[in-house]
Amino acid sequence: MMPLLVTGLLTLAAMCCLALGMERHFHAWLGRAATPRQRKDLRLAGWFLLAGAIALSIRHWGASIGPVIWLGVLTFAILGVALILAVRGR
Amino acid sequence: MSPLGKALMGLHAWGGMIFSWLLIPVFITGSIAVFEPEVSQWMQPELTAHPTRPSNAVALAEAHLNEHASDQSFWRIRLPSEREPHIGVAWGKNPRQLHEETLDAVSGEPLHERETEGGHFFTHFHADLLLGAPGRWIVGAAGIVMLAALVSGILIHHRFFAEFFTLRPRAGKRRAWLDVHNLTGVASLPFLLMITYTGCVILAETFMPAATRALYDGNPRANRAEVVKSFERKPSGVPAGMLPLATHLAAAEAILGEGKVSSLLVRHPGDRNGLVQAYRHVDDRLAAVSDHVTFDAANGTLFGQQTEWNPMTYAYRAQVGLHTAHFGGLSLRWLYFLSGLLGALMMAAGTALLLRKRRQRAGEDRPQRLLDALGAASIPGSILASLAYLAANRLIPAETGGRETLEIAAFFSVWAITLIHALLRRRRAWHEQFVAASAACVLLALADTYSGGLVDAARRGVDLTLLATGALLFASSRRFFRTGDAT
Amino acid sequence: MTRKSDKNVRFDLPLRLGAATLGGYALCWSLFVLLCAWLPFSKATVWYFTGQLAPLPLLGVLLWAFAAHGAWRALLWPLALAAGLYLLVLIR
């Protein structure tokens, strides 16, 4: 279960960065506008973390099973970020 | 919305809703089917779970078969595994119709577990609605419509990326349902496309026999016979002693990998031409293909083996494996289980949207009442039917004859009752059925816990899942379906 | 939301449903027969190849059946295509 947890947290962090890289979510979450530079950095960090999560799952589960598990994890990372944003964006 | 999306809106909404009456139960039972052995364990409290070594298990099985089936042409032994921690033995004259028994993994004693389809019922319903080939046509058609609904949904969703993470539970009801529909659909899109496509591939063997007709004169098993090597020979009629099966198991593990043998098949035990065939687990590879080796039963020489496959067959079986999810362990099973339920939630939210829209236009006319009732029967109704199947397992005494049929009858009668209830109670039925399902979940979990469910890991898992499901169903019934303003 | 442009609105839906089911099935069938006749691989390789493709023609025609302008067009195109593919098999 440990590798699943690590992959899940990495993917969740990646999705948080990608969401914050979007203007309306940054504003809803942090209450202020992001500079274009910040948004770009956040998106970059998001893709970087995402790549890390894929690499980790391939390393642990192999090249055929790893991506399947990672895609499964991705679903719940997206839902997790949406729930965080829904709660924060009251 | 793109013009193409606009043209496909009718197909997406109406095709999606009509087939969701079938697809939602298929998704729910399919999700449960991921945990088929665990559900079977829950449904057969007589089954024991003791850790053991494969060689011990094989020796116990061999002793049992020697005692009860020495004159039979076929023996099959399923070795205990983490998920099925008992020995399965089977024997008979016809390899397709074997008499089966389950033995304790340590003592080798028969467990005399109650007669039930167990978790397999959910797999069976999921695949063909218990109707055989006609059922596979129906589910296959539903699968193709599901694929079309997914593709058209992407085309219709005009703000796919802009609303990627958007969920506004406090917005208006239409907005909230639309967000749930879009978010669950988008988030689980890779899973939904994969599971629906691979499901259609599996069923196409039945509903699209064009290649079987063109290549094999319509003989449905000929394609398999061409790629799965068979190592068989006729019995000689001369009796001969066999090497202990544990010796064959050790030889098989040397080729297939230690601890990797899932089952043994003995052809013509006690005959000079007897053969022992060992099959490999498929739980560490995507493709559902089982490598196998065959030994001469009497002297242990290698008679034949297959560890390499036609690459196209391997690719096809990888699609089958992706659907049946024997690989990837517990992590993957939970991801599949939850993703499948998300798919059902996505369809349920879509149904709620369309019912709401139609009601605003047409009011409470007769068709609307029927559509509402069918929606209720497919969503909370099929959950209640599944719970009734589990409850029947506990209520029908273990020694009752034909009890497995009664359990299945409980599923379908409760499902029919939910439809009648929904027709009579109109929109209030949604709330009532959700509350009933939530109560049933909690009652089942508590009843099992207090009747010894805590000792067994699989049963504990099922009970905890039932409790969590009950809590979720109750919360959603309060949030979305109170006072009949369901949709 | 069926297209109103079609003159015969009454038969619009039945024609499109016919296109999706009959048209899709016929097209998939003749495509598979054609692949079985033409592909220069072992029988098993061809069988397991077509098996993996099976949902695609059915899905494509189903989408076409509801996206096409005009219900007759929706029905006739897949049927004509299926017939054409089948002719190719016969020619060979």
Side-chain angles (χ1 to χ4, degrees):
Chain A
M1 276 310 184
M2 198 59 194
L4 185 70
L5 200 66
V6 177
T7 312
L9 287 176
L10 266 181
T11 314
L12 186 68
M15 284 291 130
C16 281
C17 288
L18 288 178
L20 286 174
M22 294 162 76
E23 202 165 350
R24 53 194 277 205
H25 294 318
F26 191 98
H27 192 87
W29 196 331
L30 300 168
R32 59 188 164 86
T35 64
R37 176 70 200 270
Q38 280 174 322
R39 286 214 306 273
K40 207 179 142 202
D41 287 350
L42 277 166
R43 283 204 297 271
L44 200 69
W47 289 113
F48 193 72
L49 285 166
L50 218 49
I54 302 175
L56 186 85
S57 43
I58 288 180
R59 199 180 143 77
H60 187 262
W61 286 286
S64 59
I65 295 176
V68 181
I69 292 189
W70 174 76
L71 272 178
V73 167
L74 180 64
T75 297
F76 296 94
I78 295 171
L79 285 183
V81 173
L83 285 177
I84 295 172
L85 286 169
V87 172
R88 294 280 317 182
R90 270 184 222 226
Chain B
M1 200 185 298
S2 65
L4 195 56
K6 210 170 240 167
L8 291 171
M9 189 62 203
L11 170 67
H12 179 83
W14 283 96
M17 183 176 80
I18 289 168
F19 279 87
S20 84
W21 298 329
L22 184 60
L23 284 164
I24 289 172
V26 163
F27 266 65
I28 290 174
T29 50
S31 299
I32 301 172
V34 172
F35 288 111
E36 179 185 321
E38 288 79 7
V39 173
S40 294
Q41 186 94 9
W42 190 93
M43 294 182 73
Q44 293 171 309
E46 299 82 11
L47 294 180
T48 48
H50 302 301
T52 182
R53 283 215 310 274
S55 53
N56 290 353
V58 162
L60 290 171
E62 187 175 14
H64 188 86
L65 287 164
N66 266 323
E67 193 178 328
H68 296 97
S70 55
D71 58 338
Q72 301 291 329
S73 329
F74 294 95
W75 291 356
R76 202 183 58 214
I77 302 169
R78 178 185 51 72
L79 298 179
S81 64
E82 207 180 334
R83 300 185 72 192
E84 293 177 277
H86 27 72
I87 308 167
V89 288
W91 61 80
K93 305 274 185 207
N94 177 350
R96 297 191 182 281
Q97 290 171 349
L98 300 179
H99 168 80
E100 297 182 22
E101 273 185 22
T102 312
L103 312 178
D104 182 273
V106 172
S107 70
E109 290 300 315
L111 291 170
H112 301 300
E113 71 278 17
R114 59 184 70 189
E115 292 289 326
T116 175
E117 288 281 309
H120 184 66
F121 164 75
F122 293 105
T123 313
H124 196 173
F125 179 88
H126 169 78
D128 67 11
L129 315 174
L130 315 193
L131 295 176
R136 286 195 285 276
W137 277 76
I138 298 169
V139 179
I144 300 291
V145 174
M146 171 94 191
L147 282 175
L150 288 171
V151 173
S152 56
I154 300 166
L155 294 169
I156 289 166
H157 192 354
H158 39 144
R159 295 163 67 82
F160 190 95
F161 288 106
E163 292 191 349
F164 202 79
F165 298 106
T166 303
L167 185 66
R168 285 158 292 190
R170 277 163 213 82
K173 221 151 209 170
R174 195 193 94 84
R175 192 70 248 179
W177 277 123
L178 188 60
D179 279 348
V180 169
H181 182 63
N182 286 346
L183 177 68
T184 49
V186 168
S188 55
L189 190 61
F191 174 81
L192 293 177
L193 283 172
M194 177 279 289
I195 209 73
T196 314
Y197 191 91
T198 53
C200 290
V201 164
I202 293 171
L203 295 167
E205 190 174 352
T206 302
F207 72 71
M208 182 45 71
T212 313
R213 285 277 176 84
L215 298 170
Y216 299 109
D217 297 326
N219 182 356
R221 269 188 277 278
N223 57 317
R224 238 160 289 167
E226 195 178 331
V227 293
V228 182
K229 287 185 192 157
S230 112
F231 305 108
E232 295 176 35
R233 60 185 176 188
K234 290 213 154 49
S236 66
V238 182
M242 296 199 297
L243 288 178
L245 286 181
T247 312
H248 290 295
L249 175 70
E253 285 195 326
I255 297 171
L256 300 176
E258 197 173 337
K260 287 294 172 200
V261 174
S262 69
S263 66
L264 298 177
L265 178 71
V266 184
R267 294 172 206 275
H268 322 305
D271 187 276
R272 175 62 202 89
N273 275 356
L275 294 171
V276 179
Q277 185 164 14
Y279 293 91
R280 189 183 183 285
H281 274 299
V282 294
D283 60 5
D284 55 353
R285 52 170 64 163
L286 221 50
V289 288
S290 180
D291 296 347
H292 54 99
V293 290
T294 304
F295 301 101
D296 184 301
N299 59 29
T301 53
L302 184 66
F303 187 70
Q305 65 167 323
Q306 181 169 26
T307 52
E308 292 190 354
W309 298 86
N310 174 323
M312 198 55 86
T313 306
Y314 200 85
Y316 178 95
R317 295 299 299 180
Q319 297 213 20
V320 177
L322 266 173
H323 193 91
T324 51
H326 293 299
F327 64 94
L330 200 57
S331 315
L332 191 93
R333 285 197 286 280
W334 275 106
L335 290 172
Y336 267 56
F337 175 75
L338 295 171
S339 302
L341 294 181
L342 271 183
L345 173 60
M346 179 271 288
M347 288 185 265
T351 295
L353 271 170
L354 182 58
L355 286 176
R356 186 188 164 79
K357 194 169 154 192
R358 193 184 177 283
R359 180 177 307 112
Q360 284 169 348
R361 210 178 47 228
E364 292 281 342
D365 58 356
R366 280 176 67 127
Q368 180 72 30
R369 295 213 296 267
L370 181 64
L371 295 177
D372 256 326
L374 285 164
S378 82
I379 302 163
S382 61
I383 299 175
L384 269 171
S386 304
L387 294 167
Y389 175 71
L390 295 180
N393 176 264
R394 286 297 193 270
L395 294 175
I396 301 168
E399 58 282 354
T400 311
R403 64 187 305 295
E404 70 273 28
T405 324
L406 291 175
E407 288 176 1
I408 295 171
F411 178 92
F412 286 104
S413 11
V414 167
W415 205 9
I417 290 169
T418 61
L419 180 61
I420 295 167
H421 171 252
L423 282 167
L424 294 176
R425 297 286 290 165
R426 313 239 177 118
R427 285 162 66 198
R428 278 162 298 182
W430 289 75
H431 182 243
E432 289 166 0
Q433 292 190 16
F434 265 103
V435 172
S438 136
C441 281
V442 175
L443 279 177
L444 275 173
L446 292 180
D448 185 58
T449 306
Y450 285 108
S451 57
L454 284 175
V455 291
D456 185 278
R459 279 171 72 186
R460 249 182 351 245
V462 173
D463 289 339
L464 281 174
T465 310
L466 280 169
L467 270 181
T469 311
L472 263 174
L473 288 174
F474 187 67
S476 51
S477 78
R478 280 181 62 84
R479 173 80 184 80
F480 295 109
F481 302 107
R482 214 165 17 174
T483 63
D485 61 347
T487 46
Chain C
M1 257 137 280
T2 25
R3 300 262 169 148
K4 297 287 187 290
S5 61
D6 201 84
K7 280 177 212 148
N8 214 338
V9 179
R10 203 164 148 206
F11 293 112
D12 192 84
L13 189 62
L15 283 174
R16 287 180 194 274
L17 288 175
T21 50
L22 287 178
Y25 202 80
L27 182 67
C28 189
W29 190 284
S30 49
L31 178 70
F32 279 15
V33 173
L34 183 74
L35 288 172
C36 289
W38 281 22
L39 285 180
F41 304 110
S42 74
K43 282 203 275 188
T45 305
V46 176
W47 193 96
Y48 284 101
F49 176 64
T50 57
Q52 292 178 69
L53 295 183
L56 289 179
L58 296 167
L59 170 64
V61 175
L62 174 53
L63 290 171
W64 159 262
F66 285 86
H69 291 276
W72 282 107
R73 241 170 88 101
L75 178 63
L76 291 179
W77 266 108
L79 288 180
L81 206 57
L85 292 178
Y86 209 81
L87 270 180
L88 283 178
V89 182
L90 294 183
I91 287 168
R92 195 186 140 98

